[in-house]
Amino acid sequence: MTKFDDHPTVKLLRSQQKSQEQNPTSTISSPIDRDWLRTFCLDLGVDDVGFVSINQPEIADQRTKLLQAFPQTKSLISFVCRMNRDNVRNPARSVANVEFHHTGEEINEIARKIVRELEDRGIRAINPAMGFPMEAQDFLNVGKNVWVVSHKPIAVAAGLGHMGIHRNVIHPKFGNFILLGTVLMDAEVTGYDRPIDYNPCVECKLCVAACPVGAIGSDGNFNFSACYTHNYREFLGGFTDWAKNVAESKTAKDYDRKVGEADSAAMWQSLSFGANYKAAYCLAACPAGEDVMAPFLHNRKEFIQEVVKPLQDKVETVYVVPGSDAEAHAAKRFPHKQIKLVRNSLTPISIAGFRNGVSLTFQPNQAKGLNATYHFLFTGQEFSQFTIKISNQVCEVQDGLVGKPDLIVKADSKTWIAFLRKYQNIVLAILTRKIRIKGDIRLLLKFGKCFPS
């Protein structure tokens, strides 16, 4: 076996190191020339690109997560790839989803090529996935996200667009017919990108009109659980519900009653060829962007008839949690669509998850007439105290016990989570004093109505 000091690779690297010390010229351009980097990215096929410093204040709330992903990060490359509009708008969701998947694969391939070029220049870098696969094991874990990088706020900070009320980035030229990619690198860029000089968003509210579950409010509010339950039905949460239905089914007939042939086929397709979105209609209906706006400005009525109406009129299954705002919205606005009641896949697995998930699962229309302050005190595996105030159909969460409570809930943390996940009968828990209630217990029932499962 060759001794370490005599190994050819060791000798070569030491020779190169000695040569570099004697002639300190480096192939690394630090900071990297912005114009060169932009041209390189555009030549690879991106449709627009911008750069962000890790120290930019606009991404301050992302910094910890970014440095966890790649501690050497000094700056980020944010880029967009354009999707074909008529594919995304097509009521046949297979057409739209092939466009999503293909563009996503293109982004991942381009990002990988950027990293390879940087690596060849002696610059360390990583390219997190555009979408899945992600860190799926962190699903429902408190303080964690399944994504490595949140591409949207990075793109906004890079001057590539503004966030619309549908929570998608709208590019000034391409509208929201784009997907986003990000590269983290251990190098700075000469000057950072231009801030976008105008907001491409328009107050058309067509995304509000097109959404079959009412996830987007005309006032700008967003019902996360409504969107997640329906649009992401064949992603992680919906898959978990499907798997539970398989486990709970006693016979094939029982499974068919719970799931049905159509949902079985859809889940097979997503498992085989990539998870499909049920209704990314907010993207399809949006007319913002220089390349997209003309037909809408020319004839709004015709645009709505050609683009929005087919999505509204489509006969399809809409997935909602029983007792949710989405169920009421779908029944009222889209009576021709079939409503299917499913489990809430956002049920927490920890007290911290319960506390942080309140804002995601709160249903404002179910809270009409409720004005109450709740104190929660948890013991056992997780010690936690916080206040939830529901007033005027708004839910506010504060750490600690704040204000005068209308109801006090003291509970063993493990028992409370078991109750939320329907593994524990609350009456038995109260009788055994693992859950103690002080105040009008009807307020607890009203509280539960705001978070249907």
Side-chain angles (χ1 to χ4, degrees):
M1 182 178 294
T2 306
K3 292 183 179 180
F4 182 81
D5 289 338
D6 295 332
H7 193 282
T9 303
V10 174
K11 294 171 71 173
L12 175 62
L13 290 175
R14 284 178 173 169
S15 174
Q16 290 176 346
Q17 182 181 7
K18 184 177 181 180
S19 176
Q20 188 173 16
E21 289 172 352
Q22 293 173 348
N23 183 24
T25 57
S26 173
T27 58
I28 302 175
S29 174
S30 184
I32 303 175
D33 180 73
R34 181 182 63 176
D35 293 335
W36 170 83
L37 188 54
R38 172 175 281 124
T39 300
F40 173 72
C41 293
L42 292 172
D43 287 345
L44 286 177
V46 309
D47 289 287
D48 201 0
V49 60
F51 310 107
V52 183
S53 167
I54 189 66
N55 296 317
Q56 246 174 266
E58 296 93 330
I59 62 166
D61 58 342
Q62 304 292 322
R63 192 171 298 126
T64 299
K65 182 74 174 176
L66 293 169
L67 293 175
Q68 286 175 348
F70 189 57
Q72 297 79 19
T73 303
K74 293 180 182 176
S75 57
L76 302 93
I77 304 170
S78 178
F79 64 92
V80 304
C81 286
R82 183 168 55 93
M83 293 188 288
N84 295 319
R85 293 192 295 275
D86 283 323
N87 284 348
V88 175
R89 288 170 172 167
N90 200 291
R93 299 319 294 160
S94 61
V95 176
N97 277 289
V98 165
E99 186 66 27
F100 293 139
H101 290 315
H102 184 84
T103 309
E105 290 167 2
E106 183 181 8
I107 282 178
N108 287 332
E109 182 63 25
I110 289 174
R112 185 175 179 274
K113 289 180 178 179
I114 294 172
V115 170
R116 172 61 59 85
E117 177 66 22
L118 293 173
E119 187 176 279
D120 288 345
R121 289 172 173 263
I123 299 169
R124 299 179 65 184
I126 67 166
N127 56 297
M130 184 283 304
F132 287 90
M134 295 184 180
E135 307 302 292
Q137 70 277 2
D138 290 334
F139 179 64
L140 290 182
N141 278 348
V142 61
K144 294 186 177 181
N145 298 312
V146 295
W147 54 85
V148 174
V149 170
S150 184
H151 301 289
K152 294 179 183 179
I154 304 301
V156 172
L160 297 179
H162 279 273
M163 199 77 77
I165 65 170
H166 50 21
R167 274 54 176 185
N168 295 299
V169 174
I170 300 178
H171 187 274
K173 183 174 177 60
F174 311 122
N176 61 192
F177 292 92
I178 57 170
L179 290 181
L180 306 169
T182 307
V183 169
L184 284 63
M185 61 180 179
D186 180 17
E188 296 180 346
V189 181
T190 55
Y192 288 95
D193 236 337
R194 76 285 181 198
I196 193 168
D197 57 359
Y198 74 97
N199 191 330
C201 306
V202 291
E203 293 294 324
C204 65
K205 305 292 177 67
L206 293 184
C207 57
V208 178
C211 182
V213 291
I216 309 165
S218 57
D219 58 358
N221 285 324
F222 184 66
N223 189 324
F224 176 86
S225 63
C227 177
Y228 184 82
T229 300
H230 176 66
N231 191 36
Y232 293 83
R233 178 62 189 166
E234 289 161 29
F235 285 73
L236 183 55
F239 168 79
T240 302
D241 186 34
W242 173 78
K244 288 179 179 178
N245 281 326
V246 172
E248 293 170 356
S249 298
K250 299 177 181 178
T251 62
K253 185 177 181 180
D254 188 30
Y255 169 83
D256 192 50
R257 179 183 62 81
K258 291 177 181 290
V259 180
E261 295 291 344
D263 279 9
S264 291
M267 188 60 72
W268 166 82
Q269 178 173 265
S270 283
L271 292 172
S272 301
F273 302 103
N276 285 329
Y277 298 93
K278 287 293 185 184
Y281 298 169
C282 52
L283 296 178
C286 184
E290 292 175 6
D291 287 358
V292 189
M293 182 74 73
F296 178 71
L297 287 180
H298 178 68
N299 190 326
R300 291 192 180 195
K301 186 175 181 180
E302 184 177 317
F303 181 90
I304 292 172
Q305 194 67 30
E306 181 179 333
V307 175
V308 182
K309 204 73 165 64
L311 303 175
Q312 293 175 320
D313 292 345
K314 182 181 179 180
V315 177
E316 61 185 328
T317 301
V318 177
Y319 300 86
V320 298
V321 174
S324 64
D325 290 352
E327 180 186 12
H329 178 89
K332 180 179 179 180
R333 293 290 302 276
F334 302 103
H336 59 285
K337 297 182 188 287
Q338 179 185 354
I339 294 176
K340 186 164 186 175
L341 304 180
V342 298
R343 277 176 281 217
N344 183 359
S345 56
L346 292 168
T347 306
I349 59 176
S350 67
I351 294 300
F354 166 60
R355 182 235 182 270
N356 293 338
V358 163
S359 60
L360 300 178
T361 55
F362 177 67
Q363 304 294 298
N365 289 336
Q366 304 304 313
K368 285 182 179 177
L370 177 60
N371 293 283
T373 298
Y374 298 83
H375 281 179
F376 287 92
L377 300 88
F378 295 104
T379 58
Q381 288 185 349
E382 291 183 80
F383 177 83
S384 183
Q385 296 183 354
F386 51 87
T387 301
I388 299 179
K389 183 178 180 181
I390 299 175
S391 179
N392 299 319
Q393 296 178 254
V394 174
C395 181
E396 180 184 5
V397 184
Q398 294 177 277
D399 289 325
L401 305 179
V402 181
K404 182 180 179 180
D406 297 290
L407 189 75
I408 299 174
V409 177
K410 296 181 179 180
D412 169 68
S413 56
K414 187 176 180 180
T415 303
W416 183 258
I417 293 301
F419 157 62
L420 293 180
R421 299 184 69 81
K422 300 186 184 301
Y423 302 151
Q424 170 74 56
N425 182 287
I426 192 170
V427 175
L428 180 60
I430 291 174
L431 290 174
T432 57
R433 296 185 62 78
K434 290 186 175 181
I435 296 178
R436 288 174 284 173
I437 307 296
K438 185 177 180 180
D440 190 343
I441 197 170
R442 289 176 296 182
L443 287 175
L444 185 60
L445 300 177
K446 291 179 179 181
F447 180 88
K449 186 180 177 182
C450 299
F451 306 92
S453 59

